[in-house]
Amino acid sequence: VYAIGGLEDSYINTVPRALERLACPRKGIVGPWGHDWPNEGNPGPSIDWAVEETRWWDYWLNGHDNGIMAEPMLRTFVADATVAQSHPADIPGRWVAEERWPAASITSRRLHVAAGNVLDAATPPTDRIAVPPAVTIGGCIPLLSPIDMSSQAPTEQSADDRLSLVFESAPLAEDIVIVGRPVLRLAFVADKPVVKLAARLNEVAPDGRSWLLTYGVRNLAHNEDHTAFTPIAPGVEQRKEVLLNYTSRRVQKGSRLRLSVSQSQWPIVWPAPEAVTLQLITGATTIEVPVRPARKREVPMTMSA
């Protein structure tokens, strides 16, 4: 299996899931693209997919040992900026390689939510904080699988952040590279049996603008694999996980990480049937961010770009 995906495409999680769960020979490429072919480069940089595709089939159909299966299992483009910051030019960044996926060298950085809109490594006292019930949040991510990057890609996120419950880290002391799927481990109390939740992880630049790194949505009344409806017991503390989408992004020194939590992500998620009073519980609610260590040298790309 050769799984190909784009960072701006809603199907992106297929690539890491296939590499992790399949037992057959497999490889993956994640580029900066939207819902488009990797050679189209929307957004760029593109790759010469015909060359890579030919190498794959030459190995598996013709039996020519051209070295493709000795190369790293995953190639992923680490973007230094968003589409909104770069379009119509190529997104700045670099290709990195992982010999296996999941990569043992990638570690989770756990951050706790706390009163005062704080996101920090230290465990805060237990408290309850209300998540705003606004149903108009979502305009900053206009389309699930964008193709036209001039009008469909995620934009600057401040308008939606202002309507959300936000938690923010201190300015980063150094660059960090996020590769993988952040996980929001949620402790909450709600007063209705159906609750929708959206979480966006943003980079807040020193100039105050908020840029999307990744996001995740969940109907909290679903079981873990979304195969059954499990109504929420009103007033009873619950624990759930919200998986955010795979991303590979560099967050620059001096920026802040911002977690924005809301009950709406229109039009990606249909609203809950009733207005909900939803409270997060600090001390038990965390987000785990997969951080890739700095490396002096990367395995070079062999395909034409």
Side-chain angles (χ1 to χ4, degrees):
V1 172
Y2 207 157
I4 313 297
L7 290 172
E8 300 302 322
D9 196 353
S10 61
Y11 297 97
I12 181 58
N13 300 319
T14 303
V15 178
R17 288 176 66 185
L19 299 184
E20 179 177 357
R21 300 183 186 188
L22 292 177
C24 62
R26 58 208 184 275
K27 290 175 66 68
I29 293 178
V30 174
W33 322 294
H35 192 66
D36 213 338
W37 293 97
N39 54 291
E40 296 292 337
N42 189 15
S46 61
I47 63 172
D48 192 340
W49 174 235
V51 171
E52 187 69 359
E53 188 178 24
T54 300
R55 294 178 67 224
W56 174 260
W57 295 121
D58 192 39
Y59 179 87
W60 286 106
L61 297 184
N62 296 330
H64 296 158
D65 190 0
N66 52 28
I68 191 169
M69 293 310 296
E71 295 168 5
M73 182 181 287
L74 174 66
R75 305 273 190 177
T76 188
F77 185 80
V78 175
D80 290 343
T82 68
V83 177
Q85 292 169 280
S86 308
H87 189 79
D90 286 355
I91 295 177
R94 62 183 182 132
W95 290 94
V96 303
E98 296 294 346
E99 292 296 329
R100 301 288 298 175
W101 189 265
S105 61
I106 293 176
T107 58
S108 291
R109 183 173 299 188
R110 179 177 296 173
L111 299 170
H112 294 79
V113 304
N117 305 106
V118 173
L119 192 62
D120 192 78
T123 304
T126 299
D127 198 357
R128 293 187 180 187
I129 307 176
V131 179
V135 296
T136 56
I137 296 171
C140 296
I141 307 177
L143 198 68
L144 192 62
S145 296
I147 298 175
D148 179 1
M149 292 300 156
S150 65
S151 62
Q152 298 173 346
T155 61
E156 202 273 329
Q157 300 287 299
S158 292
D160 281 350
D161 288 350
R162 284 191 289 270
L163 299 174
S164 306
L165 174 61
V166 300
F167 303 95
E168 215 169 88
S169 73
L172 298 177
E174 59 184 5
D175 291 1
I176 65 169
V177 173
I178 300 172
V179 177
R181 300 189 68 180
V183 182
L184 176 61
R185 303 193 188 278
L186 188 67
F188 68 95
V189 174
D191 68 343
K192 295 293 190 299
V194 178
V195 180
K196 309 289 182 74
L197 187 125
R200 289 174 292 115
L201 185 63
N202 297 336
E203 175 185 6
V204 181
D207 64 7
R209 290 186 292 176
S210 178
W211 302 105
L212 183 70
L213 299 173
T214 181
Y215 72 96
V217 296
R218 180 170 178 180
N219 184 339
L220 299 177
H222 285 183
N223 65 351
E224 290 303 314
D225 58 3
H226 304 283
T227 59
F229 174 64
T230 56
I232 296 165
V236 178
E237 182 177 329
Q238 308 275 319
R239 302 291 178 102
K240 299 279 187 177
E241 291 185 1
V242 180
L243 269 174
L244 279 63
N245 292 330
Y246 173 94
T247 191
S248 50
R249 282 289 306 276
R250 182 171 70 94
V251 185
Q252 300 183 32
K253 174 183 177 181
S255 293
R256 300 172 184 262
L257 291 176
R258 174 182 288 173
L259 174 64
S260 296
V261 182
S262 60
Q263 295 188 44
S264 174
Q265 190 63 51
W266 179 263
I268 293 171
V269 176
W270 196 257
E274 302 176 273
V276 179
T277 298
L278 173 64
Q279 294 177 310
L280 299 193
I281 301 173
T282 64
T285 296
T286 63
I287 185 166
E288 295 184 3
V289 180
V291 176
R292 185 180 192 268
R295 300 181 188 178
K296 292 182 179 179
R297 183 177 180 274
E298 296 289 350
V299 179
M301 291 280 279
T302 58
M303 69 188 75
S304 299

